[in-house]
Amino acid sequence: MASIQAQITDIFSSAFQKCGFAYSFGIVKESQRPDLGQFQCNGALAVAKSAKKNPRDIAQNILNIVGDDPTFSNLSIEGPGFINISLSDQYIADHCNSIKNDSRLGCKKIDKSQKVIIDFSSPNIAKPMHVGHLRSTFLGDSFQRLFNFLGYNVISDNHIGDWGTPIGMLITELKRRCPDLIYFDEKEADSYPEKPPITISELEEMYPHANKRCTEDESAMEEAIKATESLQRGRKGYIALWQHFVNLSVTALKMDYNELNISFDYWLGESFYEDRMKTLTEKLKNNGNAIISDGALIMPIMEKSDQEEIPPLMLVKSGGGFLYSTSDLATIDYRVEKFNPDKILYVVDQRQHLHFSQVFRAAKKSGIARSDLFMKHIGFGTINGPDGKPFKTRAGGVMKLNDLIALVTKKAEERMKEANIAQDLSKDEQKDITKKVCIAALKYADLMNHRMSDYIFDIDKFCRFEGKTGPYLLYSAVRIKSILRKANEQNIPEGDILPPTKSTRTLMLVLSQLPDVLYNASEVFYPNYICDFAFNLAQEFNRFYNECHILSEGKESLQSSWLSLCKICLREFELVLSLLGIEIPDRM
């Protein structure tokens, strides 16, 4: 079922074609002047110059074709040829009844199932998740949910950083602290302990010390590099230690993701591609795609048509080590071979844009990726504190995810008490609701922003139950659940949706926007479109709720119509909030 906007665009586009113009001139948009109409079509003005005709005459010809269509209650021409469009109330009602009877609320699945790989979150092992991971994690999860709903075959991959010099740093730091561990014996053992020699807390505490020591002491860095080389050559003790580090970290990370209700199909870290990197770089060197320059292996990717210089992609350092670029190129090589995707999306900090531009170009130039493979770096801005700088703890450190959730949970509890929300429920129910409010506050606060924009992390603002916040949306959705529950208890049936009145017309038009919102969000990768829709829906529902006394309405047909509108509102809330990774409580 097409949306209202798509249906009336088709009507006007067909009229433009009958007048000898391109279909695209009939595109209909929401009106910027609601006092003149609900929609507008500006195609007559756009085509007038090339057609060498008066735009008002073109507009009038279009209206002569569509004027008798019962879809419309009023059509008018303003200014130099703008067509203002108002829909008939019966058409709006019929469309809402179609939505009511559609399991997908008017949202068609894509005609052809396409395979999409989404690479997001990607923390490093031995380092706890912190506030800096939130944007990639929330954005990526919203994309996998959205594309799944739209009918794509989605594969999500958490490409964790689990290889390279940082591991060598950890190995040498542990050796400095516990030199007698069996892992450091020169003579390799047949087997190593299954239980790790340290805890996740100790591992997380070790990393900053190891990094600081190697940064400040050149000999310490040399030792870490040697340990890394031994690891990569397959030293059994170091491999066993590395596996302990990975297992500890992944277990902790999965607990964090579970708190956020986020999961992945694959956890293929950098280490997974180690052998492929060796094979791939040799292949690229042998077929002439990569060359030696100052002892390093590089891949020139500059084209004659480039107006700005594009640096070559370095694949192997002069000392023989691989880089992130090597790993990312090998990852594309594997994904193409294993999954044959139609799209690969990388949800990574905007500061990595040049890197991915180089990698994508190298993948296509070398033939690793098909020329028609859609690869996109989906960048994003930073989360800042009130001072406009990256958000940190009061002590100046990066805030851990666990600490952040605890902070937001406490504030959510305070807000719920202030608003007397859920205070009459059991402690277990209150705890569950508080968790849902906390996650809604965090996710909505992040996703409501244009992803390329930085934003200020304001806990007080995010946890409010009024304004453009996650808790406000939850409260609105729970209000609908309460209405429907009471109606069911009173045996009040839902019925056909009647033609709109002043109190319901805007709400019904908002309900019809859902397909366009989701398709547009998927085309430009902006989940803030979904957030805006959810907020507009909440506002319009609450205005309708205040004007129409649903449960006390005496006219049965009107009451049943309103209840059906409530049901559609709830279903759309449930859908769009689930696409944002937000759960709605049953009561508040």
Side-chain angles (χ1 to χ4, degrees):
M1 181 176 68
S3 69
I4 281 180
Q5 191 167 323
Q7 289 181 29
I8 57 180
T9 286
D10 188 56
I11 292 172
F12 275 84
S13 293
S14 296
F16 270 90
Q17 283 186 317
K18 289 178 181 178
C19 291
F21 305 124
Y23 183 92
S24 59
F25 288 111
I27 291 176
V28 170
K29 299 180 179 179
E30 286 185 58
S31 177
Q32 296 177 348
R33 290 284 307 275
D35 56 316
L36 300 177
Q38 297 152 346
F39 296 90
Q40 64 186 50
C41 177
N42 304 332
L45 188 63
V47 79
K49 186 175 181 180
S50 60
K52 296 181 180 180
K53 293 184 178 180
N54 185 305
R56 287 186 66 92
D57 291 341
I58 295 173
Q60 187 58 58
N61 289 337
I62 298 300
L63 294 195
N64 290 340
I65 295 173
V66 303
D68 294 333
D69 193 310
T71 301
F72 310 109
S73 64
N74 186 55
L75 297 169
S76 64
I77 303 171
E78 289 291 330
F82 300 116
I83 300 175
N84 297 307
I85 305 164
S86 293
L87 304 174
S88 74
D89 287 342
Q90 187 60 54
Y91 171 78
I92 295 173
D94 290 344
H95 188 80
C96 284
N97 278 306
S98 297
I99 295 173
K100 177 173 75 79
N101 296 322
D102 186 357
S103 62
R104 290 180 57 83
L105 295 163
C107 301
K108 289 183 179 179
K109 286 191 175 184
I110 58 171
D111 293 333
K112 179 184 177 183
S113 180
Q114 295 187 40
K115 195 173 292 183
V116 181
I117 297 175
I118 305 178
D119 182 322
F120 68 99
S121 196
S122 306
N124 294 321
I125 68 166
K127 297 167 70 175
M129 283 188 70
H130 54 76
V131 67
H133 293 111
L134 289 187
R135 298 216 76 179
S136 173
T137 304
F138 290 164
L139 283 164
D141 184 53
S142 70
F143 293 139
Q144 75 166 331
R145 291 169 181 269
L146 174 60
F147 280 89
N148 263 315
F149 175 74
L150 292 178
Y152 290 84
N153 181 358
V154 178
I155 300 165
S156 58
D157 186 9
N158 194 3
H159 187 77
I160 59 173
D162 65 347
W163 202 242
T165 305
I167 307 300
M169 291 180 181
L170 287 168
I171 290 172
T172 53
E173 179 68 18
L174 184 59
K175 184 177 181 180
R176 187 178 67 84
R177 299 182 181 197
C178 308
D180 296 330
L181 288 174
I182 188 174
Y183 308 94
F184 304 118
D185 289 349
E186 291 298 326
K187 184 179 179 181
E188 294 183 338
D190 293 330
S191 63
Y192 291 88
E194 292 185 8
K195 184 178 179 181
I198 55 174
T199 64
I200 183 60
S201 298
E202 291 169 332
L203 180 63
E204 291 174 353
E205 181 272 332
M206 270 174 50
Y207 183 81
H209 287 282
N211 186 60
K212 185 174 186 293
R213 193 162 67 89
C214 290
T215 301
E216 297 175 351
D217 185 343
E218 189 174 332
S219 63
M221 178 58 82
E222 290 176 0
E223 186 182 2
I225 291 173
K226 288 181 181 178
T228 303
E229 291 171 350
S230 295
L231 170 69
Q232 293 175 344
R233 284 195 300 268
R235 179 169 169 173
K236 292 181 179 179
Y238 287 5
I239 291 290
L241 267 183
W242 164 78
Q243 193 63 64
H244 286 318
F245 296 161
V246 171
N247 291 344
L248 285 169
S249 297
V250 169
T251 298
L253 287 169
K254 285 185 176 180
M255 291 175 65
D256 286 337
Y257 289 122
N258 187 57
E259 282 291 299
L260 299 173
N261 192 25
I262 291 172
S263 61
F264 301 85
D265 296 312
Y266 291 92
W267 288 66
L268 302 182
E270 294 170 3
S271 62
F272 181 80
Y273 303 99
E274 174 70 10
D275 291 339
R276 187 171 287 260
M277 283 189 278
K278 296 174 183 176
T279 304
L280 182 62
T281 50
E282 282 299 315
K283 178 182 176 181
L284 293 173
K285 183 169 65 174
N286 292 336
N287 64 21
N289 278 298
I291 60 174
I292 300 294
S293 176
D294 295 329
L297 184 67
I298 65 170
M299 186 173 173
I301 53 177
M302 188 85 173
E303 300 287 352
K304 290 181 179 179
S305 58
D306 290 329
Q307 296 181 350
E308 296 181 1
E309 184 175 354
I310 307 294
L313 188 71
M314 184 178 289
L315 301 176
V316 184
K317 293 185 286 188
S318 57
F322 294 129
L323 299 96
Y324 288 122
S325 53
T326 330
S327 174
D328 285 335
L329 204 57
T331 302
I332 293 174
D333 185 49
Y334 173 79
R335 288 170 173 170
V336 168
E337 179 184 300
K338 171 74 173 178
F339 302 112
N340 189 28
D342 298 283
K343 298 180 181 180
I344 307 179
L345 310 178
Y346 291 81
V347 188
V348 183
D349 189 327
Q350 180 61 18
R351 290 171 291 187
Q352 298 297 316
H353 185 68
L354 174 60
H355 165 78
F356 282 106
S357 295
Q358 291 175 291
V359 170
F360 297 161
R361 182 176 289 202
K364 291 192 174 182
K365 186 174 181 180
S366 63
I368 290 171
R370 306 185 315 273
S371 60
D372 64 342
L373 175 59
F374 182 88
M375 295 184 288
K376 184 173 179 62
H377 168 223
I378 302 176
F380 50 83
T382 60
I383 303 175
N384 298 330
D387 59 357
K389 298 178 181 179
F391 187 65
K392 296 183 180 293
T393 64
R394 290 183 179 179
V398 177
M399 181 168 285
K400 294 181 181 180
L401 178 63
N402 286 337
D403 294 336
L404 183 67
I405 290 177
L407 200 63
V408 178
T409 299
K410 183 178 180 182
K411 179 58 65 175
E413 288 176 342
E414 293 173 4
R415 291 294 189 197
M416 288 169 62
K417 287 180 181 178
E418 290 171 5
N420 195 32
I421 290 174
Q423 299 308 296
D424 58 337
L425 302 179
S426 70
K427 294 295 182 182
D428 287 343
E429 284 181 290
Q430 287 183 25
K431 185 177 179 180
D432 179 68
I433 293 168
T434 302
K435 180 180 178 181
K436 288 182 170 69
V437 169
C438 166
I439 298 303
L442 274 174
K443 291 187 176 182
Y444 190 80
D446 186 276
L447 295 171
M448 65 177 273
N449 297 281
H450 188 292
R451 61 175 169 78
M452 295 300 293
S453 301
D454 301 339
Y455 73 90
I456 302 296
F457 195 89
D458 186 337
I459 294 177
D460 285 333
K461 179 181 177 182
F462 297 163
C463 292
R464 291 174 185 163
F465 281 88
E466 64 279 338
K468 197 172 184 180
T469 69
Y472 169 71
L473 298 182
L474 292 188
Y475 191 75
S476 299
V478 169
R479 170 177 278 171
I480 304 175
K481 285 189 175 186
S482 176
I483 293 169
L484 294 173
R485 186 164 51 245
K486 290 176 181 177
N488 183 59
E489 291 170 355
Q490 297 173 34
N491 294 317
I492 305 173
E494 298 163 22
D496 289 339
I497 296 172
L498 301 177
T501 62
K502 183 179 179 181
S503 297
T504 60
R505 188 175 290 106
T506 304
L507 175 61
M508 291 167 75
L509 289 172
V510 170
L511 290 170
S512 75
Q513 295 171 359
L514 179 64
D516 294 325
V517 170
L518 299 189
Y519 298 142
N520 290 340
S522 71
E523 285 293 313
V524 294
F525 310 105
Y526 290 156
N528 58 294
Y529 287 5
I530 302 174
C531 293
D532 291 343
F533 172 81
F535 180 64
N536 291 338
L537 178 57
Q539 285 192 307
E540 285 305 321
F541 171 77
N542 286 319
R543 185 186 59 77
F544 156 67
Y545 172 79
N546 289 327
E547 293 180 6
C548 302
H549 304 292
I550 302 164
L551 294 177
S552 60
E553 170 59 39
K555 191 174 181 180
E556 185 176 317
S557 61
L558 189 57
Q559 186 180 50
S560 296
S561 172
W562 288 350
L563 283 173
S564 289
L565 277 180
C566 289
K567 187 65 173 288
I568 298 175
C569 286
L570 178 60
R571 288 174 61 200
E572 292 202 0
F573 264 127
E574 288 174 334
L575 174 59
V576 295
L577 292 184
S578 72
L579 297 180
L580 301 175
I582 295 172
E583 293 183 271
I584 304 172
D586 288 328
R587 299 190 295 172
M588 289 181 76

